[in-house]
Amino acid sequence: QVQLVESGGGSVQSGGSLRLTCEASGGSASRYYLAWFRQAPGKEREGVAAINKDGDIPLIAASLKGRFTISRDNAENTMYLQMNNLAPEDAAMYYCAAGLLWGLDSPSYSYWGQGTQVTVSS
């Protein structure tokens, strides 16, 4: 069973950038598809980005393409989310997830981190 820990969240001004990190332990991350989700207060959790096991096929939510980039380093059991040109609507708790199915739907993922908070001020 894999454990996931997110880091890198914080407060930035509109237009700023953040890089989130998800570290996996307790098992090889290369066995799993990995993804980022986010949830803002009062809103449903939404898929942000996913990446295949080899790390060469990223999937970014349509509304975030061009600003967000996902990557992974299986040797380090780590996944990243680079977020550029952040806007107030990007503010949310960001979660990383691991699973044996592919996509941006949360039921595809069995393992979840505790989340890291992103705040964006205008």
Side-chain angles (χ1 to χ4, degrees):
Q1 183 171 346
V2 65
Q3 290 84 45
L4 304 171
V5 178
E6 304 93 337
S7 61
S11 296
V12 296
Q13 290 190 329
S14 219
S17 297
L18 282 174
R19 188 193 197 202
L20 305 184
T21 298
C22 174
E23 294 183 62
S25 62
S28 175
S30 62
R31 295 181 55 205
Y32 301 97
Y33 296 102
L34 300 176
W36 289 97
F37 290 80
R38 68 184 184 183
Q39 188 167 20
K43 295 188 177 181
E44 293 187 356
R45 184 163 52 189
E46 65 172 326
V48 173
I51 193 161
N52 68 329
K53 296 177 185 180
D54 289 337
D56 57 354
I57 304 177
L59 174 64
I60 308 293
S63 62
L64 302 176
K65 284 182 179 177
R67 297 195 298 122
F68 287 23
T69 305
I70 188 171
S71 61
R72 67 188 291 172
D73 183 343
N74 286 339
E76 298 293 331
N77 277 343
T78 303
M79 174 178 63
Y80 305 98
L81 183 69
Q82 178 67 43
M83 306 185 294
N84 297 327
N85 194 21
L86 285 161
E89 53 265 33
D90 295 315
M93 185 71 80
Y94 283 72
Y95 300 90
C96 69
L100 299 178
L101 299 176
W102 169 245
L104 292 178
D105 298 316
S106 52
S108 296
Y109 299 90
S110 302
Y111 305 104
W112 294 80
Q114 294 299 306
T116 185
Q117 182 69 46
V118 171
T119 304
V120 185
S121 57
S122 57

